[in-house]
Structures are given as C-alpha cells and as structure tokens.
Amino acid sequence: MSMAYEEYMRQLVKPMREELTRAGYKELTTEEAVTEFMENAEGTTFVVVNSVCGCAAGLARPAATQAFLHAENKPNQALTVFAGQDKEATAKMREYFGDIEPSSPSMALLKGKEVVHFIPRHEIEGQSLESIFENVLDGFNKHC
C-alpha cells in the first residue's frame, strides 16, 4: 500500500476512534497491548470492535458511548479495537472471544477472560439505537 493511502485511512478513521475514546474507552492498537491487558484483566471489561461501516457510525458507537456514560451498573473497564485498521490487535482480541464468529462492529462483555454477553453485527445492523442501547444495558445489569 502507498503511504498516501495509509495516511488517508488514518485521517479518515480518526474521528471514529475518538468517538469512543472521548467516552472513556481505552483503545488497544497492537497485539501486545491486547495481550498485556487481557492477561491481567480483572472484573468486567466491555469491548467494542469498532468499524468504518455505517452501522458502526449510526448505531454501535452511539449505543456503546451512551451506555457506558449513563449506565448505573458499569463494567470495570471499557476497551476498543478497530477492525480493518489495527488488524493484529483485533485478531488477538477475537481470540479471547472463543468460538464466537468474528463480527464487526460487535460488542463483548467479559468477566475476567470469559465472554458473558455478546452483541454481533446482526444484532446491531438494522436495529434501532434504543434496542442496541437496551441490549448493552441488559448485559451490564446482569453481569456488572
């Protein structure tokens, strides 16, 4: 790939990354960062697998940010990896999801290293923002 293309993509996804980090999500961009975090994970962790698609922009990120900002029961930490951009980090995070088929965008709530609630793309795309928000809150309320 050309350097111009790579720079274009970095600039294109910058606001997509910032939407989550402004809401308190820690972004993991390398395989090593994912491994280090997950091998020491305690409590509950909410992970958003970010994406450039329209359902990420209009549904997944807004639901994830609003749920994390306004939930009474919150996970101990919130993370994000960016599918298609930080490929190694995303692949490594998906290893912690076990047999769950890769999906982006998607959201996973983990207790330690165990997935206890998962929202795949098909439960995001075509759904209302409110129903996704409620799905996230349901996971938080049951497991946090």
Side-chain angles (χ1 to χ4, degrees):
M1 275 188 246
S2 75
M3 293 299 284
Y5 174 78
E6 289 178 18
E7 181 58 27
Y8 171 77
M9 290 305 295
R10 270 193 293 279
Q11 292 305 313
L12 179 72
V13 302
K14 186 177 179 188
M16 298 173 200
R17 292 176 184 276
E18 291 173 349
E19 187 173 354
L20 291 169
T21 59
R22 278 193 314 268
Y25 285 77
K26 179 178 179 172
E27 185 174 43
L28 302 179
T29 60
T30 67
E31 180 178 350
E32 295 78 20
V34 171
T35 300
E36 181 179 340
F37 183 90
M38 291 303 296
E39 291 305 311
N40 298 300
E42 294 182 7
T44 53
T45 304
F46 187 57
V47 180
V48 174
V49 178
N50 202 352
S51 174
V52 298
C53 72
C55 63
L59 298 169
R61 288 192 303 269
T65 58
Q66 292 306 304
F68 191 66
L69 290 172
H70 300 293
E72 289 182 31
N73 300 314
K74 292 183 183 184
N76 300 106
Q77 49 270 329
L79 306 176
T80 181
V81 293
F82 208 118
Q85 300 301 306
D86 303 318
K87 294 175 185 175
E88 293 83 11
T90 303
K92 188 64 178 177
M93 182 59 74
R94 286 176 171 153
E95 289 179 17
Y96 291 96
F97 297 169
D99 292 335
I100 297 172
E101 189 173 323
S103 177
S104 46
S106 62
M107 303 175 207
L109 181 62
L110 297 93
K111 272 192 176 181
K113 295 178 200 166
E114 177 189 358
V115 175
V116 294
H117 189 79
F118 190 80
I119 305 171
R121 179 185 179 114
H122 73 267
E123 291 181 20
I124 297 169
E125 188 175 36
Q127 303 299 313
S128 71
L129 181 59
E130 294 77 19
S131 69
I132 301 162
F133 177 78
E134 290 299 323
N135 193 346
V136 173
L137 288 182
D138 186 50
F140 288 3
N141 289 332
K142 286 181 181 173
H143 303 287
C144 296

